[in-house]
Amino acid sequence: MALRKLAATLLAAGTLTAGSLIGASSASAAPAGAQLDCPYYFVCGQAANGSWFRYKTCDFEFQLPNLIGSGPLINNQTPGTVARFYDKNHKLLFTSKAYQSRTVNWTPVWYVIAC
């Protein structure tokens, strides 16, 4: 996850292009321009760098892939289910109550509890 912080710093400073991290990340990347697919019972997100996630297991904290930049968040779980998103120090940043679709700045987000 140190790569994420370094990349965010370099992107902010204008010394690194967004595309130069694609090969360095161990996270899966969705095809360029693809819509985020988020089946029922899942909470999903995708960042500007193409990294994405899709989780439905409850009561477990997932470490998110190398998410840099803004992108969609879709909480397509059963109505009323709440996903919680945390920073690198496990401080709660925000929640998402199902059903919700919005844009999020993923760079400071490191963990999620899907429900």
Side-chain angles (χ1 to χ4, degrees):
M1 291 317 246
L3 176 63
R4 176 193 294 188
K5 184 174 180 178
L6 173 63
T9 303
L10 292 174
L11 281 171
T15 58
L16 183 66
T17 62
S20 33
L21 284 178
I22 299 301
S25 174
S26 62
S28 300
Q35 291 287 338
L36 180 61
D37 178 32
C38 192
Y40 192 53
Y41 299 116
F42 285 82
V43 60
C44 312
Q46 182 176 353
N49 69 340
S51 294
W52 60 278
F53 67 90
R54 181 187 301 159
Y55 299 122
K56 73 174 186 177
T57 302
C58 293
D59 301 322
F60 183 81
E61 181 179 82
F62 292 97
Q63 185 169 353
L64 294 171
N66 190 32
L67 301 170
I68 303 292
S70 295
L73 162 64
I74 300 173
N75 188 344
N76 196 17
Q77 299 178 91
T78 55
T81 303
V82 178
R84 291 166 179 79
F85 296 86
Y86 300 88
D87 70 8
K88 67 180 178 177
N89 298 312
H90 302 275
K91 179 183 173 193
L92 181 65
L93 294 173
F94 61 90
T95 61
S96 172
K97 188 174 181 179
Y99 176 87
Q100 184 178 65
S101 176
R102 64 180 176 153
T103 300
V104 172
N105 175 14
W106 290 110
T107 305
V109 184
W110 288 54
Y111 303 97
V112 62
I113 297 177
C115 45

